[in-house]
Every structure is written in C-alpha cells, then in structure tokens.
Amino acid sequence: MKKVRIFVVIFLLISIGILAFYFIPMRITPRVPLTSEDISIKVERAGGNTGPVFIVDKDKTKLKNILQEKYPDKDIEPYYIELTGNLPNGVVIDPSFLGSYVVHGTIISPDGGEEKSTIIDVKYTDAKISRFFRDDLPKSEHEILNVLIALVSSLVSIFILIIIFLARGRKTIK
C-alpha cells in the first residue's frame, strides 16, 4: 500500500508540473539592455479601436517630468501613448487580455500622432501571459491533449490519495 501511495504522489506531482508549465504566466518579449535615454512607464489599455489605444495613469507625472527635461520648450500634458517597436500584441488575439503592463523604450516624439500623443519606441515589455493562451505558438492537438490528460490525471490522483488516506484512517480507528 505504501508503494501505491508513493506512486500516486509522484504521478500527481508530475501532472501538476505539466499543468504549471502550461498555465504559469511567462514574459512575452525578451529583455534587452537599456540605455540612459530609455524610460520605463506603466501603460493601460484605453477603450476604443481608433487612435492611440494606451494611456498613462500612475506614471503620468514621471513621464511629464521626463518630457520637461528632454523638451523644455514644449508644454506637453502626457495622457495618450502610442507604442511602436517590440510589442506583445502579436501574441494574443485581443491585446486587452494583457491588461496594463510596463514598457521600456525611448521617446521618439513628445507630441506626434493623433491626440498629440507621446510616441515611444518599445524595446521590451513586462507583459506576461500563460503559454497555453498564447497565439504565436502553434497549438497542436498534442498540447491540448497533454493539458487535458494532466488535468484528469491530477484529479484522479487526488481522488485516489483521498481514498487511501480515508482507508488508512479507518484502520487506525478499529
């Protein structure tokens, strides 16, 4: 009975490991070295499909100070942000799944584009999404089958362990 319990625990740990591999969020864009010209600000997805789709909320004063230092002759009120460069949008069907995240890059234009938005060339982002929900990785039937088998085997292993511990508890009572 002890060998069965050890086998079931090992099987459960392997199943949970496979599920964790597919569902733990991972960074989408790889880190690259930044220079002194680069900035890091948190952007949020704005509603609507036209024009700039990102806004700066918490880092608005930080961005305003950077713009005043870099462009002292312009009075810029940063709110909308246009992002170019290494963006995570190709990884998901709907970028709203990513929510808000931090971008690291260089300011290209302080008040270009629509709505006089600041344009930032992004080197990398802190956006994360789990491997199973990424769209840039080809999903085969094997991956979906692996996740399904791991889920079912985890549930069955937990159920067997509960039965083993309940049966052991009954033996100690008698």
Side-chain angles (χ1 to χ4, degrees), residues 69-127:
E69 287 175 17
K70 197 169 182 180
Y71 304 97
D73 57 331
K74 295 187 177 186
D75 183 34
I76 302 163
E77 189 65 36
Y79 183 70
Y80 289 109
I81 295 291
E82 285 188 49
L83 303 176
T84 61
N86 190 11
L87 296 173
N89 298 342
V91 174
V92 293
I93 292 173
D94 186 1
S96 64
F97 289 152
L98 299 174
S100 60
Y101 52 90
V102 177
V103 296
H104 309 273
T106 309
I107 297 174
I108 296 175
S109 172
D111 58 356
E114 295 181 34
E115 306 275 346
K116 294 293 183 187
S117 58
T118 304
I119 301 174
I120 296 178
D121 183 26
V122 177
K123 288 192 174 179
Y124 73 93
T125 67
D126 290 340

